[in-house]
Amino acid sequence: MPIINLSLQIVPKVPNIEDIYPVVDKVIEYIQSTGIKHEVGPMETTMEGELPELLKIVEKSIVLPMANPLPEIMPDLAKEAGAFIVGTGRSDFTNQVNNV
């Protein structure tokens, strides 16, 4: 299978601009833990490898729609779209994450 480049841009929806960096850092840590060849740029992270291998990394997404009372995306829809982990700020959902 040919080697390709795949670029990933993470744009978390957070109330304060400073809150973006911890989310992006976690994604970069995950990519690093895979051992895949990658380069972190100012606007995206580019990975190099075989397409199926790279798609497995992208499929392991975490979605935390924290808006109340209506999340940015409903948890069931995020799961259907392929999110690996889904949490929400709503206390009436079983996947609540406290958004202090």
Side-chain angles (χ1 to χ4, degrees), residues 64-78:
L64 299 172
M66 301 303 288
N68 276 315
L70 186 62
E72 295 84 355
I73 183 171
M74 296 305 282
D76 57 332
L77 294 177

Side-chain angles (χ1 to χ4, degrees), residues 2-62:
I3 301 297
I4 66 159
N5 289 333
L6 184 144
S7 294
L8 178 66
Q9 184 180 50
I10 305 300
V11 185
K13 185 175 181 181
V14 293
N16 300 312
I17 190 74
E18 309 85 43
D19 296 335
I20 288 176
Y21 302 109
V23 175
V24 173
D25 289 344
K26 286 286 184 193
V27 173
I28 293 169
E29 284 176 25
Y30 172 69
I31 292 170
Q32 290 172 336
S33 76
T34 67
I36 197 82
K37 184 177 178 183
H38 68 283
E39 183 174 323
V40 177
M43 298 300 291
E44 63 192 13
T45 297
T46 301
M47 301 175 288
E48 182 178 285
E50 294 183 0
L51 182 59
E53 180 180 36
L54 299 179
L55 288 178
K56 285 180 186 174
I57 294 169
V58 175
E59 287 174 351
K60 297 270 185 195
S61 64
I62 299 172

